[in-house]
Amino acid sequence: MQIETIEIPTNAVISEHVIASLDRYWPQNRDLIDSLPIARTLTSVEIELPLKLCEVALPHWAKCWGVNGVLLIPEELLPLNKARSDKDLWLEVDWLLAMFLMLEAWHERVWEAQHGPIHSYSFRLKKWDNRFWERAWVNRMALFLREWAGNKNSCSPDTLFGELPNSDVILTHDVDAISKTLAISLKQSAFTGFNIFRNLAAGNVPEVGKGVKKAFRMLFSREDWWTFKDLLQMEADRNIKSIFYFHANPHPKTFKRWLFDPGYSINDKKIKKLFAELKKIGNEIGLHPSFD
């Protein structure tokens, strides 16, 4: 099998992308981030799999943005010949490259290029450093860079970039199904059946009983899954505008697509009417990816 090569962009592209992607942390004076004396990697970095992370201690004036005073970066970004002690190692790290690789899940991309898609199942990333998912490391790095710029200019980061923004919670809906189809009934019953046998082998009789009831209900019950009216009313009561992601793959249905992809068509009159309603009341509409 030919392995796809994924080349890391140039330093200039990385800087522009990272600074633009995290511009909520520096809505003004973003050039001060680009002018920080960050040790840029001049040679291409070879991505090592599986992903392994290592700790970098932050200076005392920025420890609050780490976890126990440290941030994690991919192991291959450690300098080969450290010129400083571990205490000052942060000065030798290419923070923008670390942010780029973690922001874009670059190690996962390389893994998929070599082993095929993982379909968002983290257990398929063998021997992965699970700490990658435990914290918002890139956001913490952005906060660290704000603090660094403030320290360098002998003033508060808020003075340079403005106050930190409030956190946003963005509500989204993946529209996987608008009705219970045969494919859904078979697929969900199969998943439930697998769990039944697993609980049976473990001697977990109560869970076996629950699983049997769930499988029976999935196979034989009739349910109304067109719940948009109630959902939109719940959002209106709370003054929420959400994003709805609809599946829109125009390719012919193979057995795999029939089984794993949503079964509706966006050309359906009922869905077109729903689109018009969503847009009228101010919701956004996006694309839901297919299984592949």
Side-chain angles (χ1 to χ4, degrees):
M1 180 181 75
Q2 184 177 2
I3 296 177
E4 180 184 356
T5 300
I6 304 179
E7 294 185 2
I8 298 174
T10 63
N11 285 343
V13 171
I14 288 173
S15 297
E16 174 61 29
H17 179 68
V18 169
I19 293 172
S21 298
L22 296 158
D23 62 355
R24 66 185 284 113
Y25 291 106
W26 32 76
Q28 60 195 38
N29 295 323
R30 57 185 284 181
D31 57 299
L32 294 178
I33 298 297
D34 202 22
S35 64
L36 286 172
I38 297 173
R40 303 310 307 270
T41 302
L42 300 179
T43 57
S44 60
V45 173
E46 184 175 346
I47 297 299
E48 298 177 3
L49 298 177
L51 171 66
K52 294 181 180 178
L53 300 173
C54 58
E55 297 181 352
V56 176
L58 295 179
H60 67 90
W61 41 262
K63 284 187 178 296
C64 60
W65 301 123
V67 177
N68 296 323
V70 304
L71 291 175
L72 300 185
I73 65 169
E75 189 176 60
E76 57 268 39
L77 296 191
L78 281 180
L80 294 177
N81 299 303
K82 293 189 295 184
R84 296 177 171 88
S85 66
D86 288 345
K87 179 183 176 182
D88 294 323
L89 183 59
W90 64 275
L91 286 167
E92 298 185 57
V93 172
D94 188 341
W95 291 104
L96 291 172
L97 177 57
M99 294 166 79
F100 176 82
L101 295 179
M102 298 176 81
L103 181 67
E104 298 300 323
W106 207 262
H107 291 74
E108 184 176 319
R109 292 184 182 206
V110 174
W111 178 281
E112 289 192 320
Q114 297 181 9
H115 303 283
I118 67 168
H119 296 116
S120 298
Y121 291 115
S122 62
F123 69 84
R124 292 183 175 175
L125 298 170
K126 305 300 182 184
K127 299 181 180 179
W128 218 255
D129 195 326
N130 290 332
R131 294 177 298 173
F132 180 83
W133 300 296
E134 291 176 356
R135 307 280 182 171
W137 296 110
V138 175
N139 300 70
R140 288 175 176 273
M141 291 177 193
L143 292 165
F144 163 54
L145 295 188
R146 270 178 57 104
E147 197 71 38
W148 189 354
N151 182 268
K152 182 172 178 282
N153 290 276
S154 302
C155 64
S156 164
D158 290 355
T159 302
L160 297 177
F161 306 110
E163 293 184 5
L164 285 173
N166 293 325
S167 298
D168 286 337
V169 176
I170 301 174
L171 182 62
T172 67
H173 306 284
D174 284 359
V175 184
D176 294 317
I178 59 175
S179 61
K180 188 163 73 171
T181 63
L182 175 61
I184 292 173
S185 297
L186 292 176
K187 182 171 60 176
Q188 294 300 322
S189 297
F191 289 155
T192 304
F194 173 79
N195 287 325
I196 289 173
F197 283 110
R198 189 171 63 176
N199 286 316
L200 193 62
N204 194 344
V205 177
E207 290 301 318
V208 171
K210 291 179 184 178
V212 171
K213 290 180 181 179
K214 183 177 179 181
F216 186 87
R217 186 171 64 249
M218 178 56 67
L219 282 171
F220 301 111
S221 68
R222 299 185 65 178
E223 304 167 15
D224 181 12
W225 286 10
W226 186 270
T227 59
F228 294 101
K229 181 179 179 180
D230 292 339
L231 180 59
L232 291 173
Q233 185 59 56
M234 291 169 64
E235 293 188 0
D237 293 343
R238 294 159 177 80
N239 196 28
I240 293 173
K241 299 297 181 185
S242 60
I243 307 173
F244 289 80
Y245 292 103
F246 289 87
H247 177 261
N249 190 345
H251 294 94
K253 289 284 189 184
T254 62
F255 176 77
K256 186 178 180 181
R257 292 189 181 121
W258 173 80
L259 185 62
F260 289 107
D261 286 346
Y264 59 82
S265 168
I266 59 168
N267 293 316
D268 185 279
K269 289 182 179 179
K270 194 174 182 181
I271 291 185
K272 285 186 174 182
K273 185 177 179 181
L274 174 63
F275 284 172
E277 181 182 358
L278 291 174
K279 294 301 290 182
K280 182 179 178 180
I281 62 179
N283 292 76
E284 291 186 62
I285 297 173
L287 286 175
H288 184 317
S290 65
F291 180 74
D292 282 329

